[in-house]
Amino acid sequence: MTMIVNNLQQVQQRIARACAQAGRDPGSVALLAVSKTFGPEAVQEAAAAGQSAFGENYVQEALDKMAALCALGHRPLEWHCIGPLQSNKTRPVAEHFDWVHTVDRPKIAERLSAQRPAHLPPLQVCLQLNVDGGATKAGVPPGEALALARAVAALPRLTLRGVMSIPEPASEFEAQRALHLRAKDVFDQILATGGAGLERFDTLSLGMTADLEAAVAAGSTLVRVGSGIFGGRVRAAAA
């Protein structure tokens, strides 16, 4: 058994234990393998072990990886853009990704909607929340999230699926859980409004390698795990 296959099994076991402790169905939490800075061979190995959804932070790196896997004749995978998204990168994301987790302002959503090819299914999107209130952090403030959700839900070629947050690291379980619960509160507020465009609003993208248990306890439906699957990162990637 390879390191990646073994790590995948361990992460899946962690999710199952966290769900059991929270009284949740293990099937209610999906795993997103964050493959940024790792090559197509690592993705191929994880995919061979049954992993189908992969998260990438850097657009050009992701496009190169997709092309390499396609050249190898690999089966289609589900690609999630989870890095900060600038206006000049929206077109390749709209054309090649299945999900975007980092929509934090109307302009980005409008560009993604306009640039999503008509022959592809709608792009699945999450709003990125800034639950810490840090001025230099990406994400929409919680108090502005509902207005953004309504604006995104009204756009064609996009399907609003939920919210995502990357809070500052906390060492204790309860502190981690408290931060994730801030995002859960915003998710619940948006969900409670109902209305057109929120029919598939079902995704709470919270938790990474270090805090997935606290995220599951707070209600996460999708955890984003990189180093826990692929190991430590040894190089930086260009955006």
Side-chain angles (χ1 to χ4, degrees), residues 1-115:
M1 182 183 297
T2 67
M3 180 198 75
I4 289 176
V5 173
N6 181 64
N7 287 350
L8 263 174
Q9 291 183 358
Q10 291 190 26
V11 170
Q12 290 161 350
Q13 290 168 3
R14 287 178 62 188
I15 293 172
R17 287 194 299 268
C19 285
Q21 291 171 357
R24 298 180 58 190
D25 178 354
S28 67
V29 180
L31 172 61
L32 182 65
V34 179
S35 46
K36 68 176 183 181
T37 77
F38 292 96
E41 299 81 6
V43 172
Q44 194 170 31
E45 189 174 333
Q51 180 64 28
S52 60
F54 293 85
E56 293 283 336
N57 287 58
Y58 309 110
V59 175
Q60 189 56 54
E61 179 196 336
L63 297 180
D64 293 343
K65 207 171 297 184
M66 293 175 194
L69 289 164
C70 183
L72 292 171
H74 202 281
R75 64 180 174 85
L77 298 170
E78 184 177 274
W79 294 98
H80 295 233
C81 177
I82 59 173
L85 191 53
Q86 298 174 339
S87 295
N88 64 347
K89 294 293 179 68
T90 55
R91 182 173 295 279
V93 170
E95 293 176 345
H96 294 282
F97 282 81
D98 303 291
W99 284 67
V100 178
H101 290 229
T102 50
V103 172
D104 61 358
R105 56 196 186 277
K107 180 181 178 181
I108 293 296
E110 290 162 2
R111 290 178 64 88
L112 290 170
S113 176
Q115 294 165 347

Side-chain angles (χ1 to χ4, degrees), residues 164-187:
M164 181 272 267
S165 181
I166 309 174
E168 288 296 320
S171 59
E172 300 297 328
F173 176 89
E174 285 303 328
Q176 295 170 348
R177 179 173 173 271
L179 286 169
H180 289 312
L181 283 173
R182 296 184 191 177
K184 177 65 161 57
D185 287 344
V186 176
F187 174 87

